[in-house]
Amino acid sequence: KNQVEQSPQSLIILEGKNCTLQCNYTVSPFSNLRWYKQDTGRGPVSLTIMTFSENTKSNGRYTATLDADTKQSSLHITASQLSDSASYICVVRSNTGKLIFGQGTTLQVKP
Amino acid sequence: GAVVSQHPSRVICKSGTSVKIECRSLDFQATTMFWYRQFPKKSLMLMATSNEGSKATYEQGVEKDKFLINHASLTLSTLTVTSAHPEDSSFYICSARSGTGNTIYFGEGSWLTVV
């Protein structure tokens, strides 16, 4: 069964600290993996998209990693800011074009 | 960059009425658009895939007569919630796939409240 599981479910960190969010998937055949940031009551915004051959991709303070062998991805946020408070969703696309969404990790950055 | 626009962003309607939500790709043509529903603190749930010029493909459990989807042009898809019921109150989000196929952009979402 195609599944995407994210951990932790929620996370609270202090401003300026780093954090890492995890995403494990069982989607096969795999096409790409995306990380989205979703502010409360808003649509998701793309952070990174990674294909099978990519191991690391950065977008500012966001760095995503992908291990296609173990089917794991992580999103590392460096020097967190209050505006990073949001839900982070891992989405895996299969070769059939179907998107499988993780449940998301809710991040709260406190001053 | 590519932008997907949804309208209205918030709508309140009475039970039994119908409400239409529009999803537009502003600077690219989208042959495929997707409609999602999201409950509070939950992830997005795909409702249907909207293909330009053909009938939408609905996910299991989604009533096609309840949630009418029309994709009349390469830049516009509409979702009409018919005979709205308070349990239809939710956050509805659309996304559109650009011509290259690999990039998907989400709209800002539409809050529907049925009273």
Side-chain angles (χ1 to χ4, degrees):
Chain A
K1 183 180 178 182
N2 289 331
Q3 285 186 316
V4 176
E5 295 184 354
Q6 292 186 241
S7 62
Q9 188 174 18
S10 62
L11 182 63
I12 301 174
I13 61 174
L14 294 176
E15 186 179 13
K17 298 296 184 181
N18 303 334
C19 68
T20 301
L21 314 180
Q22 300 291 339
C23 174
N24 297 338
Y25 62 94
T26 59
V27 178
S28 181
F30 171 87
S31 177
N32 57 59
L33 183 147
R34 312 149 188 259
W35 282 95
Y36 286 90
K37 178 186 178 186
Q38 185 178 20
D39 293 312
T40 301
R42 307 291 293 276
V45 174
S46 179
L47 296 176
T48 63
I49 177 172
M50 302 179 72
T51 58
F52 184 88
S53 59
E54 296 176 298
N55 299 120
T56 303
K57 183 169 282 189
S58 292
N59 177 2
R61 295 179 296 103
Y62 300 103
T63 299
T65 66
L66 174 65
D67 186 334
D69 291 330
T70 61
K71 297 187 177 181
Q72 297 179 326
S73 176
S74 67
L75 179 69
H76 186 75
I77 304 175
T78 304
S80 61
Q81 300 176 358
L82 297 179
S83 59
D84 292 332
S85 296
S87 288
Y88 292 83
I89 305 171
C90 175
V91 185
V92 178
R93 184 184 178 193
S94 70
N95 279 346
T96 61
K98 191 173 181 68
L99 296 181
I100 298 95
F101 288 77
Q103 289 296 316
T105 293
T106 301
L107 173 65
Q108 186 177 359
V109 181
K110 289 191 171 183
Chain B
V3 177
V4 173
S5 173
Q6 272 186 249
H7 178 80
S9 57
R10 289 182 181 273
V11 59
I12 300 173
C13 70
K14 291 184 178 180
S15 291
T17 63
S18 296
V19 60
K20 180 185 289 187
I21 301 171
E22 293 185 346
C23 179
R24 294 181 184 271
S25 55
L26 296 186
D27 56 1
F28 67 98
Q29 293 184 331
T31 54
T32 305
M33 289 186 174
F34 306 88
W35 286 97
Y36 302 86
R37 183 173 181 178
Q38 187 175 33
F39 293 101
K41 298 184 179 180
K42 298 291 184 183
S43 192
L44 284 72
M45 180 188 76
L46 179 64
M47 298 174 65
T49 301
S50 169
N51 300 296
E52 187 269 335
S54 63
K55 291 183 178 181
T57 303
Y58 290 81
E59 295 298 302
Q60 190 174 8
V62 178
E63 300 176 59
K64 61 181 181 181
D65 296 328
K66 171 77 173 172
F67 299 99
L68 300 178
I69 292 174
N70 183 280
H71 194 158
S73 76
L74 286 171
T75 60
L76 174 65
S77 176
T78 60
L79 168 68
T80 301
V81 182
T82 63
S83 299
H85 190 273
E87 67 187 23
D88 297 326
S89 299
S90 189
F91 190 52
Y92 293 88
I93 305 176
C94 74
S95 69
R97 185 152 63 203
S98 68
T100 58
N102 222 19
T103 305
I104 295 177
Y105 302 93
F106 284 86
E108 284 293 312
S110 299
W111 284 101
L112 169 64
T113 302
V114 184
V115 297

